[in-house]
Amino acid sequence: MQHGKYGFIVGFLVCPLAIYTLFVVWPFLQSIYYSFTDWTGLSPEFSVVGLGNYAKMLRDDSFWNALRHSALFMLLLPVVVLGLALFFAFMLNVGGRGRRGAAVTGVTGSGVYKIVYFFPQVLSIAIVALLFQFAYNPNSGALNSALSAVGLGSVQPDWLGDPNLALWCVMAVLVWSNVGFYVVLFSAGMASIPKDFYEAALLDGANRMTTFFRITLPLLWDTVQSGWVYMGILALGAESFAVVQIMTVGPGGPADSTNVLTLLVYQKAFVGGQAGYATTIGVALLLITLAFAAVVMRLGRRERLEY
C-alpha cells in the first residue's frame, strides 16, 4: 500500500514539475548561460565571452545609476505602502469610536472606504500610468490646474520633466496603485483577531496606538513580512518597468533620472541589440531580489504568535 501511495503522489507531481522546469527553471538556466555570451538577440550566432559582460556591467555608469533608483524603490516603497496600508486597515477595523454597544469597531463607512482603496487594483498598471501622465502634464494636467485653482498659479512644476521630481512622481504612482491591495489584505487579517483582545486592552487603559503595536502588529507580523517581500519584488520588477516606460520621457529620463534595472534590461536587449549583456543585468537583478528576500525573512524572523 505504501508503495502504491508514493507512486500515486509521484504520478501527480511529474506533470507539474515538468511544466515548471520547462517554463521557469530552463529559461533561468538559459539566461545565466547567455550572460556569458555576446549574443545580439537577433542572430543565432554568438560566442562565449566568459566574465566579460560582468566586468562591463561593473564599469557601466548606466547600470549603477539604474541600480541606485531600483534600490531606492526597493527600500522605500515597502515602508510607505505597508505603513499606509496598516494605518488605513487599522482605522477601518478597530480605529473607530465604539457605538451600538460595541467597544471596538471601525470608522463609519469602512465598507465603502475598502472599495475606494481597492479600486486602483481593478485598473491595469498601464492605464494607471497613462492617467497619471495626463495628471502630471505641466500645461493642462490636473495637478497644476488644482494649484492654479487655489491661487498657486505661480507654482507650476514640470513634474515629469524635472530630474529632481520625476523619480518621486513615479514612486507616488506605485504607492497609489498598491496601497489598496494591502489595506484589504491586512483588513482580512485584523478581522480574524478576536475583539476580546482589544476590549481587554482598552479596559486596562491602553490607547489605540498601544493596541496597534502590542496586539495588531505582532499578530499580523507573518502577513506583514510576506507583504514586505512581495512589495520589494514588485518594486524591482514589472510594475516599476511599466510605470517608468509609459510615463517618463526617453523613457528613463529626463537625464536618466528615472531609469531602473528592468528598463535597462529592455533597453540593452531590444534597443541596443545586446541581449547577452541584458541577461547579465537580469542575472544581477535576480541576485539582488533573492538577497532582499533573504534579508527581510532573516531580519523579520520572530516567534509565531497564535490565538
Side-chain angles (χ1 to χ4, degrees), residues 104-292:
V104 178
T105 185
V107 297
T108 304
S110 58
V112 176
Y113 289 133
K114 289 178 184 178
I115 296 173
V116 173
Y117 289 141
F118 191 75
F119 175 72
Q121 293 297 312
V122 180
L123 302 175
S124 164
I125 188 63
I127 295 175
V128 171
L130 282 173
L131 291 174
F132 272 90
Q133 185 184 44
F134 295 141
Y136 283 134
N137 189 297
N139 299 317
S140 58
L143 291 179
N144 282 355
S145 297
L147 290 175
S148 298
V150 297
L152 296 176
S154 59
V155 182
Q156 297 288 299
D158 187 1
W159 300 98
L160 296 175
D162 187 341
N164 297 318
L165 290 177
L167 189 68
W168 302 106
C169 292
V170 170
M171 194 176 297
V173 175
L174 291 171
V175 170
W176 183 86
S177 65
N178 285 285
V179 164
F181 172 79
Y182 292 98
V183 169
V184 174
L185 180 66
F186 294 150
S187 292
M190 291 180 191
S192 65
I193 298 175
K195 299 296 184 183
D196 296 346
F197 292 2
Y198 294 105
E199 292 172 357
L202 293 175
L203 287 175
D204 288 340
N207 55 30
R208 298 296 185 189
M209 182 173 294
T210 302
T211 58
F212 174 78
F213 285 105
R214 296 291 185 178
I215 299 175
T216 305
L217 189 58
L219 293 178
L220 278 182
W221 185 251
D222 288 344
T223 305
V224 173
Q225 186 182 43
S226 299
W228 197 289
V229 174
Y230 179 77
M231 191 63 220
I233 294 173
L234 183 146
L236 289 171
E239 286 210 3
S240 61
F241 165 78
V243 174
V244 174
Q245 169 76 4
I246 293 170
M247 290 181 58
T248 61
V249 296
D256 216 25
S257 62
T258 59
N259 208 354
V260 291
L261 287 177
T262 45
L263 180 61
L264 185 63
V265 170
Y266 172 84
Q267 291 172 336
K268 296 298 183 181
F270 298 103
V271 179
Q274 304 175 59
Y277 181 50
T279 57
T280 303
I281 300 174
V283 170
L285 180 59
L286 171 65
L287 295 177
I288 292 168
T289 304
L290 292 176
F292 169 78

Side-chain angles (χ1 to χ4, degrees), residues 72-128:
L72 190 64
F73 278 20
M74 179 181 66
L75 296 176
L76 288 186
L77 277 176
V79 174
V80 177
V81 171
L82 298 184
L84 288 174
L86 281 169
F87 171 76
F88 291 142
F90 184 78
M91 296 303 296
L92 294 178
N93 287 273
V94 295
R97 296 176 179 272
R99 56 183 183 276
R100 294 193 297 274
V104 178
T105 185
V107 297
T108 304
S110 58
V112 176
Y113 289 133
K114 289 178 184 178
I115 296 173
V116 173
Y117 289 141
F118 191 75
F119 175 72
Q121 293 297 312
V122 180
L123 302 175
S124 164
I125 188 63
I127 295 175
V128 171

Side-chain angles (χ1 to χ4, degrees), residues 6-60:
Y6 290 129
F8 180 77
I9 294 173
V10 171
F12 267 94
L13 288 177
V14 166
C15 186
L17 286 176
I19 293 174
Y20 183 81
T21 301
L22 179 63
F23 292 103
V24 178
V25 177
W26 179 243
F28 271 116
L29 296 177
Q30 280 187 311
S31 297
I32 294 173
Y33 172 72
Y34 284 128
S35 70
F36 296 103
T37 70
D38 61 355
W39 184 42
T40 64
L42 301 175
S43 170
E45 299 178 358
F46 59 85
S47 59
V48 176
V49 296
L51 296 175
N53 285 332
Y54 290 91
K56 177 182 177 181
M57 181 181 68
L58 295 178
R59 298 191 303 267
D60 190 350

